[in-house]
Amino acid sequence: MSLYQKLIRTHLQSLKPYSSARDEYSGKEGVFLDANENPYGSVAGEDLNRYPDPYQWEIKSKLAELKGCQPEQIFLGNGSDEAIDLLIKAVCEPKVDNMVILPPTYGMYQVCADIQQVEVRKANLTLNYQPDLTAIKEQIDGQTKIIWVCSPNNPTGNLIKEELILEILQSYPEVIVVIDEAYIDFAKQDSFITRLNDYENLVVIQTFSKAWGMAGLRVGMGFGQVELIAMLNKIKYPYNLNLQSQRIILEALNNVDLKDQYVSQILVQRELLAKELSKLEIVKKIHSSDSNQLLVEFENAKEIFKTLLESKVIVRDRSNVVLCDDCLRISIGTEVENQRLIVELQKI
Ligand SMILES: *Cc1c(COP(=O)(O)O)cnc(C)c1O
């Protein structure tokens, strides 16, 4: 029995998925009378009248080259949030199985689990925001199906140490270890995607929402073993990535340099902003960041958050989050935006 035969929920192994018209014939040429589309055109004036490729193969073959994996190892979703949701749906039996998260971390793991009635167990990060291997061990049992590791982490901004991730991957070979690399482009560390062939239990998540600047388009990526990816494709909505998104992503993949330029600009701004913030007396600590966010501890974060809001500078209040007392999370803006923030903070 393969790992994923064991992990994937039994009723899904034998699921007969929806077979779309585009499943049955994938050629581009022909007289298409199979999908009840409007043959004349679309009201929007663009050629949107045809259903898109349900498996987005054109994008995946380009992405596979860029990321160093096989097209069949890639899942594309309506944001990486879709990949998160479907991973839980694929392997966690509601009210029976559980998953482990490492707070403070991205909120969607818990939300998706709560919606699906899957138990969430918490192994808080240490004070320097690294995984606590003992705490993780205490949470894991035979019903644990997924461990979520966010690296670089949100909202703390730091990378998780490579050797700790490897330790987790090796310690729990029968549990899926998801590395959420939403911010990996900003970090001086390689993606875990290239290790997919070394660890059967490894899943990597990335997104076009952050460094690529396409949050509005809603496209995210999941990378894993072919068997697992095939299952995610089986349980997703047939046309989860719309035609327009697919076209724009294909374009964007010809322009990796522009993404890299944006990343460089943001990193320069991050250092400038950290320097300016460190001059302020109300700032108690600036956590070191490997991403496009700074977690900053203030004298009185809630008050500062409100005051900033009144002057229409919006940051994220994380002061109620575990291990983030009195912290605000600040996304790196443009030079002008960051200066506005500093000016408003100087007034306080
Ligand atoms: C922003 C973010 C995502 C991306 O979500 P999308 O649905 O792809 O926009 C995923 N994980 C983390 C940790 C994030 O911060």
Side-chain angles (χ1 to χ4, degrees), residues 89-127:
K89 207 182 246 181
V91 301
C92 293
E93 201 61 45
K95 299 183 180 178
V96 175
D97 293 330
N98 67 72
M99 53 180 236
V100 173
I101 62 170
L102 315 181
T105 193
Y106 187 48
M108 278 305 283
Y109 316 136
Q110 168 106 47
V111 172
C112 292
D114 286 349
I115 291 169
Q116 300 187 41
Q117 293 187 289
V118 168
E119 184 194 350
V120 177
R121 298 185 176 183
K122 294 175 181 170
N124 287 353
L125 295 176
T126 59
L127 289 177

Side-chain angles (χ1 to χ4, degrees), residues 79-81 84 106 109 150 154 180 182-183 207 209-210 218-220:
S80 47
D81 290 343
I84 293 169
Y106 187 48
Y109 316 136
C150 190
N154 175 3
D180 186 341
Y183 302 99
T207 180
S209 295
K210 308 285 159 61
R218 309 307 305 131
V219 183

